[in-house]
């Protein structure tokens, strides 16, 4: 392979020596290893840089209390490996069945050490090329017209060794702890260093800053031994089962809500941390006050002169002094290593901890720089699962496919089917696909219809944010109409302040499917690919522009969308009406009749029977079809030719409507 | 019966008055009596008269006079004469003398005064007739004021006679008159009860009644046996007019269920005469009791809307589907009886009510299209895919799959390497076609059980998607035969037991099969070698090659790979190959074609050496010259793209026909068309074809020319001519010359969606964002958001609709399953089922 020539080649540039690779991946966490796996499978020249001596260094430290909150389901009652990934949030994607997380842990919420071990084995078993103990401390660009993107990426590690790459995949995660500075913040302990031994908190009163899973996990750990715990944060608590967002507070960590709401023991407070101030009294107790009071005080005066809120408002909520204040405010992306020329900018508002990227996961500032993993969560923050292993394993694969097309001329993988398989291929995917399920409303299956709608091409898990660029990004032609298949929750169903257990929350009737609240498949039909402008003008509640037709498959209690009448039949009618054709299956006998009575045949006869692959069906089945009035039984009819021509044919037993559709031959 | 509604009505009115009105004597008008003495002396004992006394013309009584004069005619119908008695000035008797008596009217029977009416109670004809009859029918019509009164009367009547209960907002109204007039006729048959108390109306009707409109109930007390239960009631749904009450009472008087034992076309009942439909419940002896109950149940539901008859199929020879269970006869003349297969009594009721609705709409001269749309929409959720429906009806039957090995990701490769040949059916357990094929496959397994050393197995791709994609299975179902776990051949034929078996059988042997000796080759042509295939009656194909012709032989071998499993192919290239081929007057390379067990062997020289050409040639040569067309073999002949000359025969064709047709097929025009025949006994669907071409099956055999591929015309060979080569050829010439008229033309229709889809866009309209009309410069458009308001509005608007629907449907009758048919609970129940309630 020509690629091997590049690998390890040294490029002397301006005195410094560069080790060149087509792809550089920063970080050997789950996303970095996942990217490495796809690059390796495709036979690409790549290298992964990891600052630690082993993969997954974040998991070596976090979560501090070692319990992962990503589920590891051992049993689903199904053997379908793709389906089972829907309830396996820890495994990375690979062809090797040994590398399923459930082989590493039997715990529903596994220990973080297991994740570290799993990542190590993933890297070693698949022989991924990871360079450990290499911390990239600087990234800059080198203009070069021949480079893939008009520039090379120059990387420098802690030993001043230099590397050069055509494409840079940043899978560095978000690991820089968020810190808030306010007077007295020096008394605050960080989540990253705070003791995890509950004994250390015995008989103490604790204030926790933050309201995420790390804050609640910390509280959960010491809940039993403290006097009480208060938690302060600007935002309200959001429960993930109410918001459908796995990044919100998970039920496994919410023991404090119990003691707060039941016995007013512990408590939650809303307030801006920026306004806070902490002062330590002589006994070492920590008092909460407001920055406002500190600014007004006489600097020379002692601690006693500082006004406390309770001096004016004697029932001030946090008037009791605390023994400890713990900061659990989460992490942010490390922007510091990127040269200004890369324009790695933080996002705006609540996504400022993530770098700005496009829906294709490419940096807004630099072509050829892709952000993977947790750091790429700005695309679907607080919506889908792109910030978590079970989500970004799919977005990483999508990025890899985009790169394969862009740099290696390998179009997005697709399968071409005859149109008779249209309903089936959709039903198959919505029932088993994990990528669609985890990355709901972000990744979509695309069906590109071929001319005359006799065949179609099926593309899996394409990022819908770049739907308009589909032809360019995938190398597939979208000249005709297309279907986009995604999964959605009901629009007004979930939210922090919504009662998600209200009566009649679930719909059972197919014709009310559009009111489905739980995750269910939605199919968008476009007569032509939406334009970039349409994508820009997107309604904020909608993942896609207004389609020409839309179909919801009604939510299902078992997420099993294979019911012939409730799921498949309405879907078939929708597809039929979009394509203006008849997608029913017919027994060979019906096709035989049509062949002699119609000049055109329905697709299932055309593509099956006429090609000598008709469905003859067993005696019982044909009997059932006759009983259902969908097939005429001619065996018992008398055929005496002397029957008067005007004898009532209606009484010959074809009053049932559907049959008329089958044999409406002559009168038309 | 006339089909015209108005004629029906007029005849009804005629009937009513012929039967019940008392013959009028002379012209009905006001009688004038000169004096009271004169009047009283003339009164007959039995006659009834309404009299008023006028001294001179008093101006105040003038309007009353006009009304009373005009009511004279109406009252005459009831044998009541209206008399104006002139009071002489000097008369001071009881009636003439007092001033206030002059403002009254007096009702006499004979000379007995029954009632005196103040003139202000007689303000118009209606009030006069109503009040007079009310007074006369004092015993027949009970006036009540409380619910207790009603219950008392009901209890007294139970088991004896029926009751007609009427509420009128006030006495003297048109409705009151109608009730009284009806009571005059029916008063001796039913007990009439009248009230003007709104409280009683509320107590007797279901929902919030309108107290300003009248209301009539027929209470079936005669059959009521339980003293604790109130009598069954049937309300009159139409406005209270004499005609409607009469109709209603007629219908109530008719037997609940009529038993019928003759041709339903000839049946006529009160209902049909009154313009209502008649529902037949088709019954059999075995289910008579249940049917009777069903019929009664339906009859109660339909009382006043349609008649119900129980038709015994054992007594009447009906020419309808055996599973039909309901028939509907409409009063319209010329409309055939509809025979239906219904599953629920609700369906019967809806059927009748829809009929009435449609009729009403037609009468109102409105467009009925909407209704039809609605009807179609209702069918949207009814399965119209014959394969899916058949499979789901069969799903409870357990398949005999014990001879079929279940393969998984774990054992797939090991199992394949163990057996010499493994047949694998890849399918999806949720997919209908897959399941249909699985049924045939299980039959194959039972058929081949244990024989052959072929392992039959299956892979459910719903369980093992990785395995299926690894094996490159993209469509369900797919059948493959793996040889030693390595090479595989994919099946490409009909999904039928016989064809699958034949494929598996043939796949045991290499294709082409190398034959080592002349004996083997001869045996092969006779179908005796290899012995395992002796039961297999297909055409055998033998390639004969001299040792030198390796190019043709390789192509033949390659073609064998392609046709493997589908064609029985042998190959002989020993030294004496020349001798073998010369037996059949060809020289190698050549093909020997042995049809029907080697009785005729045909030799064909091999000229083309390209694999594709050879495959095509082999396929072509395998076709029969004059084949019997069957469902499985038609596609092979369709591919030729030629018109069909097809002989439809009731059974086997006669030798003469066969000979003539064969001559024709072999003749010069062989290239131009496919000559074939169809055995209606073996391929009964042929009846369907004939019925489409001609309205009924023509005398058989019938010879047709069908232009399947161009134009679609169907020509019928004249039945008076005998089927001989000469006749057919000259007929064909006429056809070509355009001298014959086609009997039929194949439908050119496109295969459109059978029914519309749910229009979710329309349903969700309030919450769908409109495509932004603004130009593209602006960034993402946020709609003006009032906190919570925007979404809430969409929410309530959209949520209300289904709930209204569901309440409307709840009101409908409870319904019972019809005998012998499983009620389709899920499909019928239109209320949104929500699993959180379970």
């Amino acid at each position: 392979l020509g690629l091997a020539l590049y690998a390890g080649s040294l490029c002397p540039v301006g005195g410094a020596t560069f080790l060149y690779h087509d792809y550089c991946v920063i970080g050997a966490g789950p996303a970095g290893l996942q990217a490495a796996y796809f690059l390796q499978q495709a036979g690409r020249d790549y290298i992964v840089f990891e600052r630690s001596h082993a993969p997954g260094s974040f998991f070596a430290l976090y979560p501090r209390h070692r319990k992962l909150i990503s589920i590891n389901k051992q049993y689903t009652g199904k053997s379908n490996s793709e389906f089972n990934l829907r309830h396996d949030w820890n495994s990375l994607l690979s062809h090797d069945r040994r590398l399923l997380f459930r082989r590493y842990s039997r715990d529903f919420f596994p220990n973080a050490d297991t994740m570290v071990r799993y990542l190590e084995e993933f890297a070693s078993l698949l022989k991924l090329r990871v360079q450990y103990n290499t911390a990239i401390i600087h990234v800059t660009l080198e203009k070069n017209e021949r480079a893939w993107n008009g520039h090379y990426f120059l990387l420098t590690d802690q030993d001043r060794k230099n590397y050069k790459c055509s494409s840079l995949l940043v899978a560095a995660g978000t690991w820089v702890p968020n810190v808030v500075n306010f007077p007295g913040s020096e008394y605050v302990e960080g989540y990253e260093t705070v003791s995890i031994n509950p004994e250390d908190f015995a008989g103490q009163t604790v204030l926790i800053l933050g309201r995420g899973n790390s804050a609640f996990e910390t509280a959960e750990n010491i809940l039993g031994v403290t006097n009480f715990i208060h938690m302060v944060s600007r935002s309200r608590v959001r429960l993930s089962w109410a918001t459908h967002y796995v990044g919100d507070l998970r039920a496994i960590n919410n023991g404090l809500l119990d003691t707060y709401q039941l016995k007013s023991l512990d408590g939650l407070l809303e307030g801006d941390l920026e306004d806070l101030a902490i002062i330590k009294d002589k006994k070492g107790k920590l008092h909460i006050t407001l920055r406002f009071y500190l600014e007004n005080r006489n600097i020379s005066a002692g601690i006693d002169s500082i006004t406390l809120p309770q001096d004016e408002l004697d029932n001030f909520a946090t008037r009791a002094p605390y023994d400890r204040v713990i900061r659990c405010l989460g992490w942010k992306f490390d922007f510091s290593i990127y040269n200004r020329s890369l324009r790695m900018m933080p996002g705006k508002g609540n996504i400022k901890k993530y770098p700005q990227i496009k829906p294709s996961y490419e940096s807004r500032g630099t072509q050829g720089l892709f952000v993977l993993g947790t750091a790429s969560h700005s695309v679907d923050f607080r919506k889908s699962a792109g910030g978590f292993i079970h989500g970004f394993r799919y977005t990483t694969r999508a990025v890899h496919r985009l790169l394969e097309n862009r740099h290696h001329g390998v179009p997005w993988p697709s399968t071409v089917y005859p149109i008779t398989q249209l309903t089936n291929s959709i039903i198959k995917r919505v029932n088993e696909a994990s990528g669609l399920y985890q990355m709901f409303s972000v990744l979509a299956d695309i069906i590109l219809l071929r001319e005359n709608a006799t065949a179609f091409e099926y593309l899996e898990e394409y990022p819908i944010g770049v739907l308009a660029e589909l032809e360019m990004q995938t190398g597939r032609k979208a000249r005709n109409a297309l279907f986009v298949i995604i999964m959605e929750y009901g629009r007004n169903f979930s939210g922090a302040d919504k009662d998600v257990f209200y009566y009649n929350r679930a719909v059972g009737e197919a014709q009310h499917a559009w009111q489905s609240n739980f995750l269910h498949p939605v199919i968008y039909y476009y007569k032509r690919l939406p334009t970039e402008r349409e994508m820009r003008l997107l309604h904020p509640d909608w993942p896609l522009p207004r389609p020409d037709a839309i179909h919801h498959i009604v939510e299902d209690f078992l997420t099993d969308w294979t019911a012939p009448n409730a799921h498949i039949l309405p879907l078939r009618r929708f597809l039929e009406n979009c394509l203006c054709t008849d997608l029913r299956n017919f027994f060979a006998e019906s096709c035989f009749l049509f062949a002699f009575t119609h000049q055109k045949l329905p697709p299932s006869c055309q593509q099956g029977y006429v090609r000598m692959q008709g469905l003859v069906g067993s005696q019982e089945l044909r009997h059932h079809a006759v009983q259902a009035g969908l097939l005429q039984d001619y065996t018992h009819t008398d055929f005496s030719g002397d029957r008067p021509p005007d004898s009532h044919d209606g009484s010959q037993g074809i009053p049932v409507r559907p049959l008329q559709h089958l044999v409406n031959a002559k009168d038309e | 019966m006339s089909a015209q509604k108005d004629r029906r009505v007029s005849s009804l009115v005629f009937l009513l008055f012929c039967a019940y009105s008392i013959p009028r004597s002379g012209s009905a008008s006001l009688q004038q009596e000169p004096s009271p003495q004169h009047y009283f002396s003339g009164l007959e004992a039995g006659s009834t008269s309404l009299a008023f006394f006028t001294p001179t013309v008093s101006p105040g009584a003038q309007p009353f006079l006009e009304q009373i004069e005009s009511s004279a005619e109406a009252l005459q119908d009831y044998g009541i004469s209206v008399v104006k008695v002139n009071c002489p000035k000097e008369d001071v008797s009881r009636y003439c003398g007092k001033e206030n008596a002059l403002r009254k009217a007096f009702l006499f029977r004979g000379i007995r005064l029954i009632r005196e009416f103040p003139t202000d109670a007689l303000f118009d004809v209606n009030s006069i007739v109503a009040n007079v009859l009310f007074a006369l029918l004092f015993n027949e019509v009970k006036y009540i004021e409380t619910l207790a009164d009603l219950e008392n009367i009901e209890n007294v009547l139970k088991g004896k006679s029926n009751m007609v209960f009427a509420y009128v907002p006030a006495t003297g109204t048109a409705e009151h008159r109608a009730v009284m007039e009806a009571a005059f006729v029916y008063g001796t048959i039913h007990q009439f009860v009248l009230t003007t108390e709104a409280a009683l109306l509320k107590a007797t009707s279901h929902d919030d009644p309108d107290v300003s409109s009248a209301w009539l109930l027929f209470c079936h007390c005669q059959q009521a046996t339980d003293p604790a239960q109130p009598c069954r009631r049937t309300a009159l749904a139409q406005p209270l007019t004499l005609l409607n009450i009469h109709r209603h009472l007629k219908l109530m008087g008719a037997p609940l269920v009529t038993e019928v034992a003759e041709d339903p076309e000839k049946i006529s009942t009160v209902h049909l005469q009154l313009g209502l439909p008649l529902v037949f419940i088709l019954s059999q002896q075995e289910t008579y009791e249940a049917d009777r109950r069903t019929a009664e149940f339906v009859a109660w539901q339909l009382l006043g809307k349609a008649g119900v008859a129980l038709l015994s199929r054992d007594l009447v020879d009906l020419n309808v589907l055996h599973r039909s269970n309901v028939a509907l006869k409409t009063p319209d003349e010329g409309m055939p009886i509809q025979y239906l297969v219904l599953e629920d009594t609700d369906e019967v009721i809806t059927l009748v009510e829809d009929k009435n609705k449609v009729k009403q709409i037609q009468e109102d001269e409105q467009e009925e299209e909407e209704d039809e749309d609605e009807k179609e929409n209702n069918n949207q959720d009814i399965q119209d895919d014959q394969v899916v429906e058949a499979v789901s009806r069969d799903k409870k039957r357990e398949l005999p799959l014990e001879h079929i090995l279940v393969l998984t990701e774990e054992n797939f490769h090991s199992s394949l390497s163990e057996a010499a040949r493994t047949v694998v059916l890849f399918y999806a357990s949720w997919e209908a076609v897959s399941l249909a094929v699985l049924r045939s496959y299980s039959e194959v397994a039972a058929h081949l059980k244990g024989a052959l050393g072929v392992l039959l197995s299956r892979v459910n791709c719903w369980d093992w998607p990785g395995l299926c994609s690894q094996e490159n299975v993209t469509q369900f179902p797919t059948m493959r035969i793996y040889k030693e776990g390595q090479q595989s051949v994919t099946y490409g034929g009909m999904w039928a037991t016989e064809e699958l078996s034949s494929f598996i059988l043939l796949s045991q042997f290499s294709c082409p099969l190398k034959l080592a000796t002349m004996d083997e080759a001869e045996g092969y042509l006779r179908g005796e070698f290899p012995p395992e295939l002796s039961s297999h009656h297909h055409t055998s194909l033998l390639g004969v090659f001299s040792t030198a012709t390796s190019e043709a032989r390789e192509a033949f071998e390659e073609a064998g790979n392609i046709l493997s499993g589908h064609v029985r192919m042998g190959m002989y290239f020993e030294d004496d190959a020349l001798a073998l081929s010369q037996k059949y007057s060809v020289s190698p390379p050549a093909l020997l074609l042995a049809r029907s067990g080697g009785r005729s062997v045909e030799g064909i020289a091999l000229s083309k050496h390209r694999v594709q050409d050879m495959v095509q040639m082999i396929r072509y040569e395998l076709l029969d010259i004059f084949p019997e067309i069957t469902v499985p073999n038609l596609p092979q002949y369709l591919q030729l793209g030629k018109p069909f000359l097809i002989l439809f025969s009731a059974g086997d064709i006669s030798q003469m026909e066969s000979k003539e047709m064969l001559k024709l097929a072999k003749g010069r025009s062989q290239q131009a068309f496919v000559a074939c025949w169809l055995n209606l006994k073996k391929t009964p669907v042929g009846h369907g074809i004939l019925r489409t071409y001609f309205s009924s099956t023509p005398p058989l055999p019938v010879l047709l020319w069908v232009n399947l591929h161009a134009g679609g015309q169907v020509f019928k060979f004249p039945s008076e001519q005998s089927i001989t080569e000469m006749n057919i050829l000259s007929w064909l010439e006429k056809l070509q010359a355009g001298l014959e008229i086609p009997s039929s033309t194949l439908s050119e229709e496109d295969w459109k969606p059978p029914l519309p889809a749910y229009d979710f866009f329309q349903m969700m309209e309030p919450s769908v964002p409109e495509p932004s009309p603004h130009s593209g410069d602006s960034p993402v458009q946020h709609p003006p958001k009032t906190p919570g308001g925007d979404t809430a509005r969409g929410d309530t608007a959209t949520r209300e609709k289904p709930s209204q629907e569901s309440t409307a449907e709840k009101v409908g009758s409870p319904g019972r399953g019809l005998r012998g048919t499983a009620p389709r609970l899920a499909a019928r129940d239109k209320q949104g089922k929500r699993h959180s309630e379970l």
Side-chain angles (χ1 to χ4, degrees), chain A residues 504 506 508 572 596 609 666, chain B residues 384 631 692-693 833-834 837:
Chain A
N504 300 337
R572 193 196 82 211
F596 272 107
Y609 179 71
K666 207 181 147 207
Chain B
D384 52 0
V631 172
T692 312
Y693 293 163
K833 288 179 298 296
R834 293 160 186 277
E837 285 172 353

Side-chain angles (χ1 to χ4, degrees), chain A residues 322-341:
Chain A
Y322 296 97
D323 294 300
R324 298 178 106 147
V325 178
I326 307 168
R327 158 178 59 72
C328 306
L329 296 173
W331 299 266
K332 61 185 179 196
F333 182 74
D334 179 13
F335 290 94
S336 67
I337 63 169
Y338 304 94
N339 184 284
R340 285 181 52 148
S341 60

Side-chain angles (χ1 to χ4, degrees), chain A residues 145-293:
Chain A
E145 279 180 16
R146 281 177 303 157
W148 289 353
N149 298 295
H151 50 247
Y152 289 114
F153 294 90
L154 304 182
L155 281 64
T156 310
D157 72 6
Q158 78 278 16
D159 301 328
R160 301 285 158 205
K161 263 198 227 149
N162 293 315
Y163 309 91
K164 183 169 174 175
C165 337
S166 295
S167 190
L168 179 65
L169 308 182
V170 176
T174 56
W175 60 274
V176 181
N178 274 321
V179 179
V180 183
N181 280 313
F182 52 82
S185 57
E186 64 271 23
Y187 306 123
V188 173
E189 296 169 80
Y191 171 75
E192 55 280 5
T193 54
V194 72
S195 163
I196 55 168
N197 183 4
E199 298 290 304
D200 296 344
F201 297 84
Q204 295 189 345
T205 306
V206 178
L207 179 71
I208 296 177
L209 310 179
R211 190 159 295 169
N213 275 302
S214 63
F216 275 91
E217 164 207 318
T218 306
E220 187 87 13
N221 184 45
I222 59 176
L223 198 55
V225 296
T226 51
N227 300 335
F228 57 81
I229 303 170
H230 286 164
M231 299 179 87
V232 183
S233 166
R234 186 191 297 136
S235 56
R236 296 182 41 181
V237 65
R238 282 185 298 265
L239 300 163
S240 66
W241 50 258
T243 59
H244 304 308
Y245 174 59
V246 286
D248 286 330
L249 175 59
R250 300 284 305 283
I252 179 177
N253 280 334
N254 68 9
L256 183 133
L257 297 183
D258 238 23
T259 51
Y260 172 40
Q261 295 284 5
L262 286 177
K263 290 293 168 217
S264 302
L265 179 59
D266 305 301
L268 301 180
L269 295 149
E270 279 81 37
D272 201 334
L273 297 180
E274 304 272 343
D275 298 337
L276 213 63
I278 293 176
I279 46 177
K280 197 173 198 171
D281 68 11
K282 286 164 195 144
K283 289 181 226 154
K285 300 271 185 189
L286 301 169
H287 294 264
I288 302 296
T289 185
L290 302 176
R291 184 191 281 256
F292 166 76
Y293 292 122

Side-chain angles (χ1 to χ4, degrees), chain A residues 78-80 97 415 417-418 421 424 427-428 431-432 492 502 504-515 517 533 536-540 542 546-547 549-552 557 562 564-565 569-570 572-574 576-577 580-582 584-590 592-602 609-610 612-618 620-621 624-631 634-635 637 639 641 649 651-653 655 657 661-662 664-666, chain B residues 319-321 323 339 376 379-391 393-394 397 409-410 430-431 433 436-437 439 443 462-465 474-476 492-496 629-631 634-636 639 644 646 650 678 683-685 687-689 691-693 697 700 708 711-712 746-758 760-761 763-765 768-771 774-776 778 780-783 791 798-799 802 829 831 833-837:
Chain A
K78 295 188 170 76
S79 64
N80 188 315
R97 272 186 296 149
T415 318
Y417 299 93
Q421 294 292 312
N424 279 354
I427 290 292
K428 174 181 150 69
N431 275 295
E432 67 183 24
N492 300 316
Y502 67 89
N504 300 337
R505 61 191 168 275
V507 176
E509 193 71 25
Q511 70 190 84
H512 304 140
W514 65 277
Q515 293 175 307
N517 281 318
R533 184 171 158 266
R536 257 202 324 275
L537 296 176
L538 207 55
H539 188 277
W542 280 64
R546 187 187 167 105
I550 192 166
H551 181 71
H552 290 251
F557 201 45
T562 58
N565 287 318
L569 176 65
R572 193 196 82 211
R573 295 217 190 285
F574 167 74
E576 280 173 339
N577 281 280
C580 204
T581 185
D582 184 335
R584 287 177 293 180
N585 299 298
F586 291 100
F587 285 115
E589 188 179 302
S590 297
F592 181 86
L593 178 67
F594 299 152
F596 272 107
T597 55
H598 288 66
Q599 299 198 39
K600 295 167 186 160
L601 290 179
Y609 179 71
V610 171
M612 287 179 256
Q613 296 180 24
L615 179 67
V616 176
S618 68
E620 288 98 343
L621 286 185
H624 282 304
V626 169
Q627 278 204 320
L630 294 168
L631 189 67
Y634 296 98
T635 40
T637 47
F639 43 88
D649 239 22
S651 63
Q652 283 299 312
R657 275 195 71 92
H661 284 279
L662 295 183
N664 54 357
K666 207 181 147 207
Chain B
N319 193 16
V320 297
L321 276 190
R323 60 204 177 82
Y339 288 92
E376 269 180 0
N379 284 334
Q380 270 175 314
D381 50 3
I382 295 172
Q383 186 61 258
D384 52 0
D385 184 313
Q386 48 182 234
V387 180
V388 175
E389 182 64 17
V391 168
R393 280 175 186 237
D394 197 45
R397 189 168 64 91
E409 238 156 56
E410 276 85 29
W430 50 265
E431 199 255 337
V433 177
V437 169
R439 277 159 177 76
E443 287 173 9
W462 165 229
D463 288 333
W464 309 104
T474 55
Q475 288 189 36
F476 313 123
M494 288 280 164
W495 296 110
I629 286 293
T630 60
V631 172
L634 173 69
Q636 298 169 19
Q639 284 186 337
F644 274 47
I646 179 165
L678 187 143
T683 312
V685 66
H687 288 294
I689 299 170
R691 222 170 275 166
T692 312
Y693 293 163
T697 310
L700 296 171
L708 282 178
L746 306 194
S747 163
E748 256 188 303
E749 226 190 332
D750 281 319
W751 287 84
K752 290 263 159 53
L755 287 171
Y758 296 130
F760 286 130
F761 255 140
M763 295 186 214
M764 65 206 294
E765 208 57 79
V768 176
E770 284 303 313
H774 304 289
S775 70
S778 57
V780 177
Q781 299 237 327
H782 290 268
T791 49
T798 51
R799 292 222 175 262
D829 189 0
Q831 295 165 40
K833 288 179 298 296
R834 293 160 186 277
H835 55 61
S836 56
E837 285 172 353

